[in-house]
Amino acid sequence: MALCVQLFLEGARVLVVGGGRLAARRARQLRGEGARVTVLSPSFLPELETGGFDLIRAPYSPDCLEGCLLAAAAAAPEVNRRLARDAAARGILTLAAAPGEGAAARVMKAGQEGVVTIACATGGAFPAANGQLLADLRRAAVPWAEKLPLLGEIRRLLLAQEGRDAGPLLRGLAEKPAGELEALLHSLREAAGQGGKSGRPA
């Protein structure tokens, strides 16, 4: 079993060890999450050379972990194992390149449907299936992407009502169709003196 979490990396320093295709993909992915990415390797693919990353052209050294929140293993297996050991000793999380290299975390295939974040993994059994799994999950999430903004606004208004236990009212709301939720939201806004606003949250 594994604990699935969302990791917010805006402004965090992250080290990617490796200079090949996996390193390039991981560096782009981490920068896309707002991380400050340093890539360490004796050599780099051209896309890393020209990608605007902070590059350190050198063999792996644990000194490069200083100040990092996260390290991504994307080198040869023996280097990845050393990285995982060194990072763990410093309390730094390591993303795995492959199973069995000692890393504490693995990146899942993820996507967004409205406010819904969707992620899946095959546990390394057949990674090529992750794309189709994610597509299936995204289709299932479409109705939720429509309803969740309504549910969020209804919850906010109910919790703001003094002296009212919102628990019983919140239970069962998720199963209601969007039309019923819009009607309930309209009535709650009227009760709160916001009756002139649109039935849909902004």
Side-chain angles (χ1 to χ4, degrees):
M1 293 294 292
L3 179 67
C4 297
V5 300
Q6 288 181 296
L7 192 61
F8 302 106
L9 297 172
E10 187 69 40
R13 182 165 182 266
V14 173
L15 178 68
V16 176
V17 178
R21 283 178 296 179
L22 175 58
R25 185 167 75 247
R26 194 69 77 230
R28 288 193 302 270
Q29 184 179 37
L30 292 165
R31 185 169 63 185
E33 296 298 325
R36 295 182 293 117
V37 180
T38 298
V39 188
L40 170 68
S41 179
S43 61
F44 301 101
L45 285 179
E47 62 189 284
L48 282 167
E49 296 267 16
T50 59
F53 299 102
D54 180 14
L55 303 181
I56 301 177
R57 194 181 301 274
Y60 167 70
S61 166
D63 294 340
C64 293
L65 288 164
E66 188 68 33
C68 289
L69 175 70
L70 181 72
E78 63 273 15
V79 176
N80 293 340
R81 283 190 286 270
R82 283 180 56 208
L83 171 64
R85 287 194 302 268
D86 295 338
R90 291 163 172 77
I92 297 169
L93 191 66
T94 309
L95 294 179
E101 292 181 354
R106 180 184 298 128
V107 176
M108 300 172 71
K109 186 80 170 175
Q112 199 79 19
E113 189 64 47
V115 297
V116 183
T117 300
I118 308 148
C120 62
T122 61
F126 198 73
N130 284 332
Q132 185 59 54
L133 279 170
L134 186 65
D136 292 345
L137 290 169
R138 289 186 75 153
R139 282 192 290 274
V142 169
W144 288 99
E146 180 184 3
K147 291 199 305 184
L148 278 171
L150 297 167
L151 288 165
E153 182 68 2
I154 289 169
R155 178 177 180 271
R156 185 187 69 78
L157 289 170
L158 286 173
L159 293 175
Q161 293 179 353
E162 292 184 15
R164 186 172 189 177
D165 180 10
L169 294 168
L170 290 171
R171 283 192 288 273
L173 278 182
E175 287 76 31
K176 293 186 181 297
E180 286 187 37
L181 293 174
E182 287 179 341
L184 174 58
L185 179 57
H186 181 71
S187 67
L188 287 170
R189 280 177 168 164
E190 285 191 331
Q194 302 174 23
K197 293 194 177 181
S198 165
R200 280 189 178 275

CSV table of all heavy atoms in Angstrom, one decimal, residues 148-175:
chain,number,residue,atom,x,y,z
A,148,LEU,N,-19.0,20.2,-8.5
A,148,LEU,CA,-18.2,20.6,-7.3
A,148,LEU,C,-18.1,22.1,-7.0
A,148,LEU,O,-18.2,22.5,-5.8
A,148,LEU,CB,-16.8,20.0,-7.5
A,148,LEU,CG,-16.6,18.6,-7.1
A,148,LEU,CD1,-15.3,18.0,-7.5
A,148,LEU,CD2,-16.8,18.4,-5.6
A,149,PRO,N,-18.1,23.0,-8.0
A,149,PRO,CA,-18.2,24.4,-7.7
A,149,PRO,C,-19.5,24.7,-7.0
A,149,PRO,O,-19.5,25.6,-6.0
A,149,PRO,CB,-18.1,25.1,-9.0
A,149,PRO,CG,-17.3,24.1,-9.9
A,149,PRO,CD,-17.8,22.8,-9.5
A,150,LEU,N,-20.6,24.1,-7.4
A,150,LEU,CA,-21.9,24.3,-6.7
A,150,LEU,C,-21.8,23.8,-5.3
A,150,LEU,O,-22.3,24.5,-4.4
A,150,LEU,CB,-23.0,23.6,-7.5
A,150,LEU,CG,-23.2,24.1,-8.9
A,150,LEU,CD1,-24.1,23.1,-9.7
A,150,LEU,CD2,-23.9,25.5,-8.9
A,151,LEU,N,-21.3,22.6,-5.1
A,151,LEU,CA,-21.2,22.0,-3.8
A,151,LEU,C,-20.4,22.8,-2.9
A,151,LEU,O,-20.7,23.0,-1.7
A,151,LEU,CB,-20.7,20.5,-3.9
A,151,LEU,CG,-21.6,19.5,-4.5
A,151,LEU,CD1,-20.9,18.2,-4.9
A,151,LEU,CD2,-22.8,19.2,-3.5
A,152,GLY,N,-19.3,23.3,-3.4
A,152,GLY,CA,-18.4,24.1,-2.6
A,152,GLY,C,-19.0,25.4,-2.1
A,152,GLY,O,-18.9,25.8,-0.9
A,153,GLU,N,-19.8,26.1,-3.0
A,153,GLU,CA,-20.5,27.3,-2.6
A,153,GLU,C,-21.6,27.0,-1.6
A,153,GLU,O,-21.8,27.8,-0.6
A,153,GLU,CB,-21.0,28.0,-3.8
A,153,GLU,CG,-21.7,29.3,-3.6
A,153,GLU,CD,-20.8,30.4,-3.1
A,153,GLU,OE1,-19.6,30.2,-3.0
A,153,GLU,OE2,-21.3,31.5,-2.8
A,154,ILE,N,-22.4,25.9,-1.8
A,154,ILE,CA,-23.4,25.5,-0.9
A,154,ILE,C,-22.8,25.2,0.5
A,154,ILE,O,-23.3,25.7,1.5
A,154,ILE,CB,-24.2,24.3,-1.4
A,154,ILE,CG1,-25.0,24.7,-2.6
A,154,ILE,CG2,-25.1,23.7,-0.3
A,154,ILE,CD1,-25.6,23.5,-3.4
A,155,ARG,N,-21.7,24.5,0.5
A,155,ARG,CA,-21.1,24.2,1.8
A,155,ARG,C,-20.7,25.5,2.5
A,155,ARG,O,-20.9,25.6,3.7
A,155,ARG,CB,-19.9,23.3,1.5
A,155,ARG,CG,-19.1,22.9,2.8
A,155,ARG,CD,-18.0,21.9,2.4
A,155,ARG,NE,-17.2,21.6,3.6
A,155,ARG,CZ,-16.1,22.3,4.0
A,155,ARG,NH1,-15.7,23.4,3.3
A,155,ARG,NH2,-15.5,21.9,5.1
A,156,ARG,N,-20.1,26.4,1.8
A,156,ARG,CA,-19.6,27.7,2.4
A,156,ARG,C,-20.8,28.4,3.0
A,156,ARG,O,-20.7,28.9,4.1
A,156,ARG,CB,-19.0,28.5,1.3
A,156,ARG,CG,-18.3,29.8,1.9
A,156,ARG,CD,-17.8,30.7,0.8
A,156,ARG,NE,-18.9,31.3,0.0
A,156,ARG,CZ,-19.7,32.3,0.4
A,156,ARG,NH1,-19.5,32.9,1.5
A,156,ARG,NH2,-20.6,32.8,-0.4
A,157,LEU,N,-21.9,28.5,2.3
A,157,LEU,CA,-23.1,29.2,2.8
A,157,LEU,C,-23.7,28.5,4.0
A,157,LEU,O,-24.1,29.2,5.0
A,157,LEU,CB,-24.1,29.4,1.7
A,157,LEU,CG,-23.7,30.4,0.6
A,157,LEU,CD1,-24.7,30.3,-0.6
A,157,LEU,CD2,-23.6,31.8,1.1
A,158,LEU,N,-23.8,27.2,4.0
A,158,LEU,CA,-24.3,26.5,5.1
A,158,LEU,C,-23.5,26.6,6.3
A,158,LEU,O,-24.0,26.8,7.4
A,158,LEU,CB,-24.5,25.0,4.7
A,158,LEU,CG,-25.6,24.6,3.8
A,158,LEU,CD1,-25.6,23.2,3.4
A,158,LEU,CD2,-27.0,25.0,4.4
A,159,LEU,N,-22.2,26.5,6.2
A,159,LEU,CA,-21.3,26.6,7.3
A,159,LEU,C,-21.3,28.1,7.9
A,159,LEU,O,-20.9,28.3,9.1
A,159,LEU,CB,-19.9,26.2,7.0
A,159,LEU,CG,-19.7,24.7,6.6
A,159,LEU,CD1,-18.2,24.5,6.1
A,159,LEU,CD2,-20.0,23.9,7.8
A,160,ALA,N,-21.6,29.0,7.1
A,160,ALA,CA,-21.7,30.4,7.6
A,160,ALA,C,-22.9,30.8,8.4
A,160,ALA,O,-23.0,31.8,9.0
A,160,ALA,CB,-21.5,31.4,6.4
A,161,GLN,N,-23.9,29.9,8.3
A,161,GLN,CA,-25.1,30.1,9.1
A,161,GLN,C,-25.0,29.8,10.6
A,161,GLN,O,-24.8,28.7,10.9
A,161,GLN,CB,-26.3,29.3,8.5
A,161,GLN,CG,-26.7,29.7,7.1
A,161,GLN,CD,-27.8,28.8,6.5
A,161,GLN,OE1,-28.2,27.9,7.2
A,161,GLN,NE2,-28.3,29.2,5.4
A,162,GLU,N,-25.0,30.9,11.4
A,162,GLU,CA,-24.8,30.7,12.8
A,162,GLU,C,-26.0,29.9,13.4
A,162,GLU,O,-27.1,30.1,13.1
A,162,GLU,CB,-24.7,32.1,13.5
A,162,GLU,CG,-23.5,32.9,13.1
A,162,GLU,CD,-23.4,34.2,13.8
A,162,GLU,OE1,-24.1,34.3,14.8
A,162,GLU,OE2,-22.6,35.0,13.4
A,163,GLY,N,-25.6,29.1,14.4
A,163,GLY,CA,-26.6,28.3,15.1
A,163,GLY,C,-27.2,27.2,14.4
A,163,GLY,O,-28.2,26.6,14.8
A,164,ARG,N,-26.7,26.8,13.2
A,164,ARG,CA,-27.3,25.8,12.4
A,164,ARG,C,-26.2,24.6,12.2
A,164,ARG,O,-25.1,24.9,11.8
A,164,ARG,CB,-27.7,26.3,11.0
A,164,ARG,CG,-28.4,25.3,10.1
A,164,ARG,CD,-29.0,26.0,8.9
A,164,ARG,NE,-29.9,25.1,8.2
A,164,ARG,CZ,-30.5,25.5,7.1
A,164,ARG,NH1,-30.4,26.7,6.6
A,164,ARG,NH2,-31.3,24.7,6.5
A,165,ASP,N,-26.7,23.4,12.5
A,165,ASP,CA,-25.8,22.3,12.2
A,165,ASP,C,-25.9,21.9,10.8
A,165,ASP,O,-26.9,21.4,10.3
A,165,ASP,CB,-26.3,21.1,13.1
A,165,ASP,CG,-25.4,19.8,12.9
A,165,ASP,OD1,-24.4,20.0,12.3
A,165,ASP,OD2,-25.8,18.8,13.4
A,166,ALA,N,-24.8,22.2,10.1
A,166,ALA,CA,-24.8,21.9,8.6
A,166,ALA,C,-24.6,20.5,8.2
A,166,ALA,O,-24.9,20.1,7.1
A,166,ALA,CB,-23.7,22.8,8.0
A,167,GLY,N,-24.1,19.7,9.2
A,167,GLY,CA,-23.9,18.2,8.9
A,167,GLY,C,-25.0,17.5,8.2
A,167,GLY,O,-24.8,16.9,7.1
A,168,PRO,N,-26.2,17.5,8.8
A,168,PRO,CA,-27.3,16.8,8.2
A,168,PRO,C,-27.7,17.3,6.8
A,168,PRO,O,-28.1,16.5,5.9
A,168,PRO,CB,-28.5,17.0,9.2
A,168,PRO,CG,-27.8,17.3,10.4
A,168,PRO,CD,-26.6,18.0,10.1
A,169,LEU,N,-27.5,18.6,6.6
A,169,LEU,CA,-27.8,19.2,5.3
A,169,LEU,C,-26.8,18.8,4.2
A,169,LEU,O,-27.1,18.7,3.0
A,169,LEU,CB,-28.0,20.7,5.4
A,169,LEU,CG,-29.1,21.2,6.3
A,169,LEU,CD1,-29.0,22.7,6.6
A,169,LEU,CD2,-30.5,20.9,5.6
A,170,LEU,N,-25.6,18.7,4.6
A,170,LEU,CA,-24.5,18.4,3.7
A,170,LEU,C,-24.5,16.9,3.2
A,170,LEU,O,-24.2,16.6,2.1
A,170,LEU,CB,-23.1,18.7,4.3
A,170,LEU,CG,-22.8,20.2,4.5
A,170,LEU,CD1,-21.6,20.4,5.3
A,170,LEU,CD2,-22.7,20.9,3.2
A,171,ARG,N,-25.0,16.0,4.1
A,171,ARG,CA,-25.0,14.6,3.8
A,171,ARG,C,-26.0,14.4,2.7
A,171,ARG,O,-27.1,14.8,2.7
A,171,ARG,CB,-25.4,13.8,5.0
A,171,ARG,CG,-24.2,13.6,6.0
A,171,ARG,CD,-24.5,12.5,7.0
A,171,ARG,NE,-25.5,13.0,8.0
A,171,ARG,CZ,-25.1,13.7,9.1
A,171,ARG,NH1,-23.9,14.0,9.3
A,171,ARG,NH2,-26.1,14.1,10.0
A,172,GLY,N,-25.6,13.7,1.7
A,172,GLY,CA,-26.5,13.3,0.5
A,172,GLY,C,-26.5,14.4,-0.6
A,172,GLY,O,-27.0,14.1,-1.7
A,173,LEU,N,-25.9,15.5,-0.4
A,173,LEU,CA,-25.9,16.6,-1.4
A,173,LEU,C,-25.1,16.1,-2.7
A,173,LEU,O,-25.5,16.4,-3.8
A,173,LEU,CB,-25.2,17.9,-0.9
A,173,LEU,CG,-26.1,18.8,-0.1
A,173,LEU,CD1,-25.3,20.0,0.3
A,173,LEU,CD2,-27.4,19.2,-0.9
A,174,ALA,N,-24.0,15.3,-2.4
A,174,ALA,CA,-23.2,14.9,-3.6
A,174,ALA,C,-23.9,14.1,-4.6
A,174,ALA,O,-23.6,14.1,-5.8
A,174,ALA,CB,-21.9,14.2,-3.1
A,175,GLU,N,-25.0,13.4,-4.2
A,175,GLU,CA,-25.7,12.6,-5.1
A,175,GLU,C,-26.8,13.3,-5.9
A,175,GLU,O,-27.3,12.8,-6.9
A,175,GLU,CB,-26.4,11.4,-4.3
A,175,GLU,CG,-25.5,10.3,-3.8
A,175,GLU,CD,-24.7,10.8,-2.6
A,175,GLU,OE1,-25.3,11.6,-1.8
A,175,GLU,OE2,-23.6,10.3,-2.4
